[in-house]
Amino acid sequence: MHITFLGATREVTGSCHLLEVGGRRVLVDCGLIQGSPHHERHNHDPFTFDPAGLDAVLLTHAHLDHSGRLPLLLRQGFQGRIITHPATVDLCRIMLEDAGYLNEKEAEWQNRKRRRKGLELVKPLYTRAEARATAARFDPLEYGEPCAVAPGITATFHDAGHILGSAVIALDLEEAGRRRRVVMSGDLGHRGTPVLRDPEPLTEADLVVMESTYGDRDHRPWDATWEEMGRILSDAREAGGNLLVPAFAVDRTQMLLYAFRSHFAEWGLGDWEIFLDSPMAIAATRVYARHTALYDSRASAFERRHGGLFELPNLHLSERTEDSMAINRIRSGAVVIAGSGMCDGGRIRHHLKHNVWRRDAHVLISGFQAAGTTGRALVDGARHIRLWGETIRVQAQVHTVNGLSAHADQAGLLEWYANFRDAPPVAVVHGEPRAQDAFVARLRADFGTRAQAMRYGETVDLERPRLERPES
């Protein structure tokens, strides 16, 4: 029995891990590779295994860097079921179809240019129809219910607290009378995050596969983050313009809406008109509103006393294109939450074009901004940005709120690992090299753990997991 690491190795995206036990093969996650065009081209590469030979796929959560290549598995012959939490099923239906739509639009745009040049036309990475066919393969599994995935492989999902439906997967394996337990962390949530419960602790494992996105740093305390948010809203109100909030459609948007709901009077939000200008974020918010059993105790108590977490008296849901365009006629007093979260697509770019050159406008950056994105340029203090070939002067005040991450920080990762008995070995994935190496060093120093940052294609023998290869 062994596990091979085929993604999110020395990088964050493309999570994909192949488990082989007694001739059975199960894949954990099948995510998109995201980043530069050079990196994203690898999404078109064939898999290094035969998808038709897989017994099943286990999906930790809906984010595309974990789920976004599932339609390609089906295209290449996968016949099995995709086992995941019911909330992940609901979110993935939205996110995969949206990804298929964007793939189709990207191929259409490229082919217009290629036709003029007489070049061979390109096909979408996958289509909306392929995304819908993938959703039909989902098999929901609740937290805490053991599932016989294949002979010798039993999976139990536990709440990871990262986004709605996210799971830590405990895998109980048996081959020729030998038994092992492997725990796959997926993405672990930020302790104290609004709406969702904290990551569920586990105590037994022979090997832990852990994410390390923030393995080298700690987040700002929540109290300081809410104080900062209040100051930004106050400053923006005094300036007299609009406040733009680029936000990821899943989890970040819902976190912001709940924060607005629970601090409504304190932050003076009654003075604004608030717009959620993202069809995907609106759909995801409806999914969050349905799965109330997954809320933490504070959110559940708030809902019992006050009603829906995301219902604001001055919130406008802008689903149609015409609704979005109408927002741009507003010169003052609008809070606009829109995607994409890194300002590289979606409706937020139109709002930036109409506002970012105004001195009275404010921009609240609520999430990680990758290098090379428009959002990162704003964070880095760019005086000008490019939108549809036009250079736009940046005169708006840009605020970066760093405490809203949905990922556990270094302290949170170490706290979760500390629940395991006997310091089991750790295979570290899902992090940039600096974060991975710092986290490996802390695991070794604090717990005496055998820990190692995995490389692409590396295989660990689960009967004798030997880690601690010297890092180069």
Side-chain angles (χ1 to χ4, degrees):
M1 59 179 81
H2 54 270
I3 184 169
T4 303
F5 299 91
L6 299 171
T9 51
R10 308 300 277 169
E11 62 182 342
V12 170
T13 67
S15 288
C16 186
H17 313 300
L18 180 63
L19 182 70
E20 299 181 74
V21 178
R24 300 291 183 166
R25 311 178 100 200
V26 170
L27 199 67
V28 179
D29 288 346
C30 191
L32 275 180
I33 300 162
Q34 298 171 311
S36 70
H38 169 75
H39 281 88
E40 292 185 358
R41 279 197 294 270
H42 289 295
N43 288 312
H44 294 270
D45 294 345
F47 293 106
T48 58
F49 54 88
D50 179 11
L54 294 174
D55 290 274
V57 174
L58 299 170
L59 178 61
T60 60
H61 65 286
H63 277 152
L64 291 177
D65 64 318
H66 292 255
S67 69
R69 280 191 293 167
L70 289 172
L72 300 179
L73 280 183
L74 271 68
R75 182 191 291 173
Q76 296 182 37
F78 174 61
Q79 299 289 325
R81 55 184 177 153
I82 302 166
I83 301 167
T84 193
H85 190 275
T88 300
V89 174
D90 291 345
L91 290 174
C92 258
R93 286 195 178 112
I94 297 166
M95 298 180 74
L96 289 177
E97 183 156 351
D98 182 73
Y101 169 76
L102 293 176
N103 292 338
E104 290 172 353
K105 298 298 286 186
E106 172 67 18
E108 180 184 316
W109 177 76
Q110 286 195 35
N111 286 335
R112 282 201 299 269
K113 296 191 298 181
R114 296 178 77 86
R115 284 191 186 94
R116 292 194 293 268
K117 297 177 181 179
L119 299 175
E120 183 180 354
L121 301 185
V122 299
K123 294 181 179 180
L125 181 65
Y126 55 83
T127 65
R128 281 173 285 182
E130 289 176 303
R132 288 192 288 269
T134 302
R137 296 288 187 85
F138 285 128
D139 190 357
L141 179 65
E142 296 283 356
Y143 294 136
E145 295 184 359
C147 174
V149 178
I153 304 174
T154 299
T156 307
F157 284 20
H158 301 270
D159 196 341
H162 171 60
I163 66 170
L164 196 77
S166 58
V168 174
I169 305 178
L171 292 157
D172 291 300
L173 314 175
E174 183 173 358
E175 179 179 314
R178 298 181 300 277
R179 296 181 178 181
R180 296 290 183 272
R181 169 171 272 215
V182 176
V183 173
M184 314 281 294
S185 77
D187 287 359
L188 292 170
H190 181 183
R191 188 173 178 81
T193 296
V195 184
L196 301 181
R197 298 187 288 255
D198 292 338
E200 184 177 345
L202 280 73
T203 60
E204 301 291 338
D206 296 295
L207 174 72
V208 182
V209 179
M210 278 192 76
E211 71 121 319
S212 57
T213 312
Y214 289 101
D216 61 340
R217 72 198 84 166
D218 289 336
H219 299 318
R220 195 173 192 186
W222 283 109
D223 287 348
T225 297
W226 301 138
E227 184 180 340
E228 182 181 14
M229 290 275 289
R231 285 198 305 270
I232 292 168
L233 282 158
S234 177
D235 290 348
R237 186 170 57 251
E238 289 181 13
N242 295 323
L243 173 63
L244 307 184
V245 188
F248 303 113
V250 175
D251 194 69
R252 190 57 42 84
T253 291
Q254 292 74 42
M255 183 192 299
L256 288 166
L257 289 176
Y258 177 41
F260 286 178
R261 178 87 161 88
S262 53
H263 296 84
F264 191 82
E266 177 188 348
W267 291 351
L269 284 159
D271 297 336
W272 298 89
E273 292 300 317
I274 303 170
F275 297 87
L276 179 52
D277 189 23
S278 166
M280 186 163 76
I282 293 168
T285 301
R286 289 170 178 152
V287 172
Y288 268 67
R290 287 200 302 271
H291 288 274
T292 57
L294 301 180
Y295 295 172
D296 67 11
S297 58
R298 291 169 300 173
S300 296
F302 186 95
E303 187 193 38
R304 286 193 298 271
R305 289 196 303 270
H306 305 292
L309 302 188
F310 317 113
E311 297 173 5
L312 300 164
N314 51 350
L315 176 64
H316 308 274
L317 304 180
S318 303
E319 297 193 75
R320 302 179 307 161
T321 302
E322 309 90 271
D323 299 330
S324 179
M325 294 172 67
I327 297 170
N328 287 320
R329 295 195 287 271
I330 300 173
R331 296 290 298 271
S332 176
V335 174
V336 184
I337 304 170
S340 67
M342 296 188 191
C343 307
D344 261 11
R347 295 177 175 180
I348 193 64
R349 292 171 69 82
H350 295 278
H351 300 307
L352 288 169
K353 181 178 179 179
H354 284 82
N355 288 274
V356 79
W357 52 271
R358 302 180 188 275
R359 291 185 183 276
D360 58 2
H362 286 241
V363 180
L364 191 162
I365 301 293
S366 65
F368 175 76
Q369 306 296 310
T373 62
T374 302
R376 180 62 172 269
L378 290 170
V379 168
D380 290 344
R383 293 292 190 90
H384 299 87
I385 57 175
R386 295 278 291 175
L387 298 171
W388 300 287
E390 183 180 352
T391 299
I392 310 292
R393 187 178 180 186
V394 178
Q395 297 196 100
Q397 186 167 341
V398 178
H399 311 268
T400 304
V401 179
N402 291 317
L404 295 173
S405 176
H407 282 272
D409 58 10
Q410 186 190 74
L413 293 170
L414 293 170
E415 181 181 356
W416 183 78
Y417 175 77
N419 291 286
F420 288 98
R421 298 190 185 98
D422 301 323
V426 181
V428 176
V429 296
H430 202 287
E432 298 295 338
R434 176 177 171 178
Q436 286 191 328
D437 294 343
F439 187 52
V440 165
R442 284 296 304 269
L443 286 169
R444 292 175 179 175
D446 292 11
F447 301 98
T449 303
R450 289 175 289 127
Q452 183 175 304
M454 307 314 298
R455 294 174 179 166
Y456 183 84
E458 198 158 18
T459 296
V460 171
D461 182 345
L462 297 176
E463 293 187 35
R464 294 175 296 277
R466 294 179 180 145
L467 299 175
E468 287 192 294
R469 167 184 32 76
E471 297 300 328
S472 58

